[in-house]
Amino acid sequence: MGICNGRVVIVTGAGGGLGREYALAFARDGASLLVNDIRREAAEAVCHEIVQNGGRALANSDDITRTDTAQHIVDVAQEAFGTVHVLVNNAGICRDRMFTSMTGDDWDEVMRVHLRGHFCLSQQLARTWRDAAKAGQPVDARIINTTSGAGLQGSVGQANYGAAKAGIAALTLIQAAELHRYGVCANALAPAARTSMTEGVFADMMRKPEDGTFDYFDPANVAPLVVWLGSAQSAHVNGQVFEVAGGMIALAEGWRTGPQIDRGARWVPDEVGSAVAQLLTQRRLAQPVYGA
């Protein structure tokens, strides 16, 4: 008996990396899994591993960026396991280039997979949960989104990815505010782990240690937080963004109104500079952009 016993979970991009570890960890804690990945064989391999260990899982390779196929994912999960309780939006891609070299396709594809991919499935399930709540049925649901340090602090060479991930962080706050009345909690995490998306840039830094010491960037390190957020135990946590790496869990502090000067009248352009200079001396410095 685990903390997710009886819960039904959809994980996207679950054929490898972080998504695979999430699916395996949820299954170990009693959940039934719909394992979604565009690589059908990879999704089936994860399901086979879950079933071999006594769990329940179903592979799916539908497109998460279309509303019709997103609805099909939900329908398949419900037909197989019953009510869906948790959605983990994990699938993503990178198309890294310096901003001046980035193509329109580089931009659009990253936005499609990350932002639209988070939108379509979330909306289909949110509507299901809203209708159930309005019908008087108990709802204890979770949306777990995936942002990134690139979205929270910025990252050189990742204008498209960082902008998409920043959008996901904002989407999480809005989902949390709008859906809580229906019994839905929405949270996000910014994981640092070794995956296929990090191989090109961070392969050396994230390499598995050969001396048997703690593998800080093992994607399995991120899974316990995700499983807990998907459990009934997390019902009091909503609208939060977590940074997680190795054995560290941190709560990200978002944008907020900082120092201010109000003159009570319209500013004269020539006087703005001195006011801004005063505000800059009072500010809390932001974390530096990655790679700057």
Side-chain angles (χ1 to χ4, degrees):
M1 295 289 286
I3 64 172
C4 288
N5 191 58
R7 288 174 80 74
V8 176
V9 181
I10 297 174
V11 183
T12 69
L18 285 163
R20 173 181 178 274
E21 297 300 335
Y22 299 163
L24 295 175
F26 268 115
R28 286 193 296 269
D29 259 277
S32 298
L33 273 298
L34 185 137
V35 177
N36 169 267
D37 200 292
I38 57 172
R39 304 162 299 171
R40 179 80 188 194
E41 291 183 358
E44 289 176 345
V46 174
C47 289
H48 178 73
E49 187 170 350
I50 290 172
V51 172
Q52 286 291 100
N53 288 306
R56 302 174 71 206
L58 182 67
N60 175 275
S61 57
D62 282 325
D63 187 350
I64 62 170
T65 69
R66 292 168 41 191
T67 55
D68 59 337
T69 47
Q71 183 60 57
H72 185 251
I73 293 170
V74 175
D75 292 342
V76 168
Q78 290 176 330
E79 290 169 7
F81 305 122
T83 300
V84 176
H85 304 94
V86 183
L87 168 63
V88 182
N89 285 311
N90 168 73
I93 61 168
C94 282
R95 295 289 185 271
D96 295 352
R97 282 183 173 83
M98 298 301 284
F99 183 68
T100 52
S101 301
M102 190 169 291
T103 68
D105 286 343
D106 293 332
W107 182 272
D108 291 343
E109 187 66 5
V110 168
M111 293 299 165
R112 183 184 71 85
V113 174
H114 287 277
L115 274 176
R116 187 168 177 82
H118 271 61
F119 164 75
C120 290
L121 260 177
S122 295
Q123 189 183 61
Q124 301 309 310
L125 280 167
R127 287 173 171 169
T128 298
W129 293 326
R130 176 202 61 190
D131 293 346
K134 286 187 173 182
Q137 301 170 20
V139 175
D140 184 26
R142 306 285 184 271
I143 296 174
I144 304 171
N145 292 328
T146 306
T147 182
S148 168
L152 303 179
Q153 281 91 45
S155 180
V156 170
Q158 292 190 305
N160 49 3
Y161 181 77
K165 290 303 191 181
I168 288 168
L171 172 65
T172 303
L173 302 182
I174 296 165
Q175 288 174 331
E178 292 186 359
L179 301 177
H180 195 242
R181 74 191 72 177
Y182 304 125
V184 182
C185 294
N187 296 285
L189 66 151
R194 185 176 54 251
T195 71
S196 60
M197 290 174 59
T198 66
E199 287 175 352
V201 181
F202 303 112
D204 290 336
M205 184 184 78
M206 292 185 170
R207 192 182 307 279
K208 184 176 181 178
E210 297 178 356
D211 59 2
T213 57
F214 177 54
D215 186 359
Y216 188 83
F217 292 108
D218 186 341
N221 297 334
V222 182
L225 172 63
V226 177
V227 171
W228 184 83
L229 286 172
S231 75
Q233 294 182 9
S234 67
H236 61 293
V237 179
N238 190 39
Q240 303 302 314
V241 177
F242 296 89
E243 295 182 84
V244 55
M248 181 274 294
I249 298 174
L251 197 61
E253 295 182 337
W255 289 99
R256 63 187 70 244
T257 303
Q260 58 182 284
I261 299 172
D262 186 351
R263 67 179 298 173
R266 184 180 304 152
W267 287 89
V268 177
D270 190 46
E271 298 174 347
V272 170
S274 61
V276 170
Q278 182 178 339
L279 291 173
L280 289 175
T281 64
Q282 302 171 18
R283 65 180 167 159
R284 179 181 178 184
L285 292 176
Q287 290 178 232
V289 170
Y290 289 107

